[in-house]
Structures are given as C-alpha cells and as structure tokens.
C-alpha cells in the first residue's frame, strides 16, 4: 500500500514546513504503509529536512526528460534525486490537459526518471466524455501502453501507476468502488502483459480522485487497489493521516 499526497501548486515555504511537521506528527510511524508527500519544487529541500528519520518519503510533481541544459524553467531527474526525492509524479491529468503533455512525452520522462532511480508515479485516466462514450477502458489502455513505451524495470517497486479519472479529480465525485475495481483489474492485466506476470502482479496501482477519510477504506479494500494519490485532502495533516490509517487497516 502506498499513500501519496499531491500538494499541486499550493503552500509557500513557511506553509510547507508547517504542513510537513503536522503530517509527520499526525502519522507517526507510517509502516507498514508507504507514505509520500509531493510538494512544489521550491519546497522540496526544506520538506526533506523535516521528513528525515520519519519514514515518510518525498516526491516531485513533474520533471523534464532531458539531462540538463537550455530548458529554461525546467527541473531534471538528477536535481530531484539530489534534493532527496524518491518518487516523481508523471503525466498527471493537469499536466496532460493544461500543459499539453502526451503519452510519448510521459514515456520519455519515465525512462529518464528510472535512469536516476526515481520511482515514477505514472498517471492515467479518462475524461467524463470518454467514460460516457464507453471508451474509458481503451483510452486508459492506450495511455498505459504508450506512457510506458520503452520503459524497462527489474522489480515491481520501480514503478507505480495511478488511475485518476479526470471527472473525479478535485470534484468531490469519487469513482464507485466497482468502477475502480474494474479499471484496476484492466490496468493489472496490461502491466502483467508489459512486464511479465511476476513483476506486473506487484506493481502498485493507486486510485486518485476525491479520496477522503470517509471513502478511503472502501476504495483501498478493493481488488488491485494498492493505495491512493491524494490531492485536496493531503493539504490537511489530520485528513491525510486518517487516509493513511485507512490504508493500514486494510493492509
Ligand atoms: P483530489 O486530487 O484528491 O483533490 O481529487 C487527486 C489528484 O489530482 O492527484
């Protein structure tokens, strides 16, 4: 089980320090659940110092696929590694929709992240129109296959996927347990096909989209749901800790 908080573009340095301290004390010992928080780039260094020794890991929300050089405004995998990141969220639907990221671009970033031993959290998910048209399974299948094109891993722990239906992100409208279970089963089949059964069966597939302390336990107890990617509720230490507790209860 992995519970990762995606802070998005929220919290300046002082607020990030405060929330990180709050999360560390509200969660206590995270084990046996893997817990991570993913603050904005400028908060990473300070966050890492506060997380030190807590057992809670850190991730970034994006990165550039190139090594270094003339890419004004971008951040490399090596930089994320150097500042203490374990994870990096790639291909979040906000990146895809607002910043035009493509599956091919996500695959380049995923390959680069692995080169620096970061664990990519690769996000996929259909829009409401795609679901209403009955295309959700094929859309997500192409996203998974194309976003992971050329990606090689040697162990399940080297890659995480997150299923985040676009219509459930930040809307308060969660996908039903049955919808989640169905899609996670589909994604499981695809990763077993891509990486072999032995590795594919152990890859964590997170659900994201309006997870909160009230619905987390039901979602996490579903087949092939191995944790959550939490947006809004991760900005509150008590709520985030309650979601981690829900993961512990079904682990
Ligand atoms: P939400 O966001 O929990 O606020 O719906 C999830 C995400 O975008 O990762």
């Amino acid at each position: 089980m992995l519970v990762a908080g995606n802070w998005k573009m929220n919290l300046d340095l002082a607020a990030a320090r405060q929330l990180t301290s709050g999360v560390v004390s509200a969660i206590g010992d995270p084990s046996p659940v893997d817990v991570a928080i993913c603050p904005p780039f400028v908060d990473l260094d300070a966050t890492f110092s506060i997380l030190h020794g807590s057992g809670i890991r850190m991730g970034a929300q994006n990165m550039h696929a190139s090594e270094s050089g003339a890419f004004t405004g971008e951040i490399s995998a090596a930089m994320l590694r150097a500042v203490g990141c374990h994870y990096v969220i790639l291909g979040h639907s906000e990146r895809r929709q607002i910043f035009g990221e493509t599956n091919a671009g996500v695959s380049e970033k995923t390959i680069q992240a692995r080169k620096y031993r970061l664990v990519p959290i690769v996000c996929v998910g259909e829009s409401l129109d795609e679901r209403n048209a009955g295309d959700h399974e094929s859309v997500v299948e192409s996203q998974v296959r194309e976003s992971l094109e050329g990606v090689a891993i040697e162990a399940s722990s080297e890659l995480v996927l997150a299923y985040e239906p676009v219509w459930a992100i930040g809307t308060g409208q969660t996908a039903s347990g049955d919808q989640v279970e169905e899609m996670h089963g589909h994604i499981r089949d695809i990763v077993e096909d891509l990486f072999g059964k032995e590795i594919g069966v152990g890859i964590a597939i997170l659900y994201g989209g309006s997870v909160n302390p009230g619905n987390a336990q039901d979602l996490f107890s579903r087949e092939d749901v191995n944790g959550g990617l939490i947006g809004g509720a991760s900005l509150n230490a008590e709520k985030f800790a309650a979601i981690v507790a829900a993961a512990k209860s079904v682990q």
Side-chain angles (χ1 to χ4, degrees), residues 228-247:
L229 185 53
I230 320 299
S234 74
L235 297 174
N236 176 296
E238 281 67 40
K239 285 187 186 167
F240 189 58
I243 293 169
V244 172

Side-chain angles (χ1 to χ4, degrees), residues 4-8 89 92-94 123 162 164-166 168-173 207-212 229-234:
N6 173 10
W7 290 5
K8 308 192 179 183
I89 299 171
H92 188 279
S93 66
E94 287 149 18
C123 302
E164 300 202 302
V166 175
I169 295 178
T171 58
Q173 194 193 339
Y207 168 76
S210 299
V211 178
N212 62 49
L229 185 53
I230 320 299
S234 74

Side-chain angles (χ1 to χ4, degrees), residues 10 13 36-37 61 64 78 87 111 113 115 132 135-136 138 145 154 158 172 176 182 191 197 209 211 220:
N10 294 294
L13 187 57
I37 54 177
Q61 301 173 16
H64 196 269
Y87 298 100
I111 292 167
K115 191 169 164 194
N132 289 340
D135 293 337
H136 46 291
S138 61
R145 288 189 183 278
E154 282 163 17
E158 294 176 4
S176 72
E182 185 183 47
V191 292
K197 201 161 174 84
V211 178
F220 295 166

Side-chain angles (χ1 to χ4, degrees), residues 77-90:
M79 292 171 186
L80 296 182
R81 188 77 217 176
V83 84
C85 287
H86 181 85
Y87 298 100
V88 58
I89 299 171
L90 296 176

Side-chain angles (χ1 to χ4, degrees), residues 189-203:
D189 289 344
I190 302 165
V191 292
E192 286 184 359
D193 180 44
L194 288 173
F195 300 110
K197 201 161 174 84
E198 211 173 303
I199 288 180
V201 75
I203 291 177

Side-chain angles (χ1 to χ4, degrees), residues 119-138:
V119 176
I121 301 177
V122 175
C123 302
V124 296
E126 82 285 358
S127 67
L128 189 57
D129 283 351
E130 288 162 342
R131 178 162 282 269
N132 289 340
D135 293 337
H136 46 291
E137 291 211 343
S138 61

